[in-house]
Amino acid sequence: MAERLSAREVVAAVADDSTFAELPAVIRDAKPDGPLAWPGYDASRARAAERTGEQESVVCGTARVGGVRAVLIAFEFGFLGGSLGERTGDRLEAAYTYAREHRLPVVPLVATGGSRMQEGMLALAQLQRVARQSAWTREAGLAQVAVVRDPTTGGGWATLGAGADVVLALPGAQIGFAGSRVRPPDADPAAYTAQAQVAAGAADAVVQPEELRETLGRWLRLLTCPSGTPAPPPEPLGDTAVLPATGWDAVRRARSPRRPRAAAYLDAYFTERAAISGDRCGGTDPDGMLCGFGVHEGRTVAYAAQTGTATRPAGYRTAARLIRLADRLGIPVLTLVDTPGAANDAEAERQGAGAAIADLFGAVAGARTPVTTLVIGEGGSGGALALAAPGNTWATPDSYFSVIAPELAAAILKRPPREVEATADQLRIRPQDLVELGVIRGTVGP
């Protein structure tokens, strides 16, 4: 079990010193023992208030985190298990409204067991109220970065937690829609942990408590720096600026194990960066797609980069998630194309490969923020094209882009293996061929 800090302790842990200012509490007339006249409810709230020093299960206010002013929503688990009731909904609605009025990002610091039983369906209905406020804040182009603490279950996880743009989890935290007392008796407890949610693509990272303030500040700085200027394509990192002589030469160079991959390009391009992880549908593709936000020449650029392997459906969905988030926040996007193609095994089909690629095509096509693409290696068919920006795609000298791999083209045409190299020439897949055909804008480098 992770250490359970009070609401004010967790605020102090993340906020810059002496910057927290609590928002005025919303006061509503209350019936004796609440809306359901639940026997003993008033007494339970009074004991919770005496024990915690709080009047409700959330503390809301503004503070600077890493120098960025934000609205903080801190749950007090000691107050009736951090549960959501009508008064909680009042405070949450007021906090989100304040954030929109003052153009501030929202940081939910969540620790809750879910909706308050003593208020019945009126408590559960607060989830719709919170979801509406979150949606309006999203439409306003404001970032939401959640920190999920121990425990984060029920509707609190399904709204303020999992519904945020970026989800950071504390190690050892119990996280899941089902709380510990309502799960099947044979349920694996490891499935309801911070680590499991990251592995399943529902959260972005597990962050150590001592690193939380710095990590949260970095995310807020990255996500509150809009720009309408396209990201410039990176400079090539290969050994030579000479363009390939033949189509097969282009293929050979792109497949060379010595060629720089995405991680090297991202390290050279960004002075700092932070990664998102997961497609929010139960999957991740850490070996095939790198996504996140970084700083290039003093401004934020989002990135989605293929790593040279066959991209899995979760990788495409994560990239689509990244592009839509950057589009909402007005942040330019850089994509790096490098894949022999989309994963085409049976499991990839079961995971919805076609739908995932279609979704990424749609995200790129619909983006209002500028998208820049650099082909740094293999550009294998639609699995590569889905990540490419129409009208703003560039290529390195050691790359190629093809409708299909030359070997597969020869096989489909029933040509012998000795004709693979000639087929590569016929496909016109070299960077200079792509420029002449109007498929890409140009090549990078001298």
Side-chain angles (χ1 to χ4, degrees):
M1 180 186 296
E3 180 184 6
R4 284 183 181 165
L5 300 179
S6 70
R8 295 185 190 273
E9 286 173 337
V10 75
V11 166
V14 301
D16 297 350
D17 294 344
S18 304
T19 63
F20 180 70
E22 191 167 352
L23 293 174
V26 179
I27 306 298
R28 73 159 58 205
D29 294 334
K31 298 177 181 179
D33 281 328
L36 304 186
W38 187 284
Y41 183 35
D42 283 348
S44 295
R45 285 195 295 199
R47 288 192 298 271
E50 182 179 2
R51 183 169 57 252
T52 64
E54 307 296 347
Q55 296 303 308
E56 247 308 323
S57 58
V58 290
V59 175
C60 303
T62 64
R64 292 193 177 275
V65 181
V68 178
R69 190 165 177 252
V71 168
L72 304 187
I73 298 171
F75 277 73
E76 175 53 70
F77 189 77
F79 194 102
L80 301 182
S83 57
L84 284 79
E86 285 186 307
R87 289 178 176 178
T88 323
D90 291 341
R91 293 190 176 201
L92 294 173
E93 183 175 74
Y96 275 101
T97 300
Y98 186 94
R100 291 194 300 275
E101 290 174 347
H102 294 81
R103 304 294 303 166
L104 300 177
V106 180
V107 180
L109 304 162
V110 191
T112 175
S115 300
R116 196 168 296 172
M117 293 181 298
Q118 296 92 331
E119 295 186 23
M121 278 301 298
L122 291 174
L124 191 66
Q126 302 308 305
L127 302 182
Q128 294 174 318
R129 194 176 178 191
V130 172
R132 185 185 306 116
Q133 292 298 320
S134 178
W136 287 344
T137 303
R138 190 177 300 114
E139 289 172 3
L142 301 171
Q144 300 174 66
V145 182
V147 177
V148 286
R149 301 149 55 210
D150 184 58
T152 297
T153 60
W157 166 236
T159 52
L160 292 130
D165 299 317
V166 175
V167 181
L168 308 176
L170 293 181
Q174 177 189 176
I175 303 170
F177 186 66
S180 59
R181 298 185 182 182
V182 298
R183 299 169 192 158
D186 59 347
D188 179 6
Y192 303 86
T193 63
Q195 290 83 348
Q197 296 295 348
V198 172
D204 292 288
V206 173
V207 181
Q208 297 300 320
E210 63 272 16
E211 299 173 357
L212 183 57
R213 178 184 291 193
E214 179 183 354
T215 302
L216 187 55
R218 180 185 304 116
W219 271 114
L220 291 176
R221 290 192 299 273
L222 288 170
L223 299 182
T224 55
C225 187
S227 170
T229 305
E235 292 298 315
L237 300 180
D239 295 333
T240 178
V242 178
L243 292 169
T246 66
W248 187 248
D249 184 34
V251 172
R252 180 183 55 79
R253 286 168 57 175
R255 293 176 180 174
S256 170
R258 297 186 300 275
R259 175 182 57 77
R261 261 51 179 186
Y265 274 93
L266 296 176
D267 286 344
Y269 193 80
F270 293 111
T271 53
E272 68 169 326
R273 55 190 171 100
I276 69 167
S277 175
D279 61 3
R280 300 299 188 258
C281 300
T284 62
D285 186 18
D287 298 326
M289 185 78 78
L290 305 177
C291 294
F293 294 79
V295 176
H296 176 74
E297 296 181 348
R299 66 193 183 106
T300 300
V301 174
Y303 64 86
Q306 291 170 317
T307 63
T309 65
T311 309
R312 313 262 343 146
Y316 291 114
R317 285 192 287 262
T318 304
R321 173 192 159 210
L322 178 281
I323 291 168
R324 290 194 174 103
L325 174 56
D327 191 45
R328 272 199 291 109
L329 300 178
I331 295 171
V333 177
L334 170 70
T335 65
L336 301 180
V337 168
D338 186 10
T339 180
N344 58 6
D345 54 88
E347 186 59 27
E349 293 297 337
R350 282 190 287 266
Q351 292 170 359
I357 295 170
D359 189 42
L360 181 54
F361 268 119
V364 173
R368 296 157 298 177
T369 197
V371 181
T372 303
T373 298
L374 180 64
V375 185
I376 63 171
E378 292 193 83
S381 194
L385 187 65
L387 201 60
N392 198 25
T393 293
W394 304 76
T396 64
D398 47 5
S399 68
Y400 77 89
F401 219 143
S402 180
V403 64
I404 192 172
E407 299 94 330
L408 298 179
I412 291 172
L413 296 172
K414 299 181 180 180
R415 295 178 176 179
R418 65 176 181 273
E419 294 188 26
V420 167
E421 295 186 18
T423 302
D425 283 333
Q426 283 184 286
L427 288 168
R428 302 199 65 191
I429 60 179
R430 299 175 304 168
Q432 59 267 44
D433 296 325
L434 302 171
V435 174
E436 184 178 342
L437 291 169
V439 174
I440 66 173
R441 283 185 64 178
T443 58
V444 293

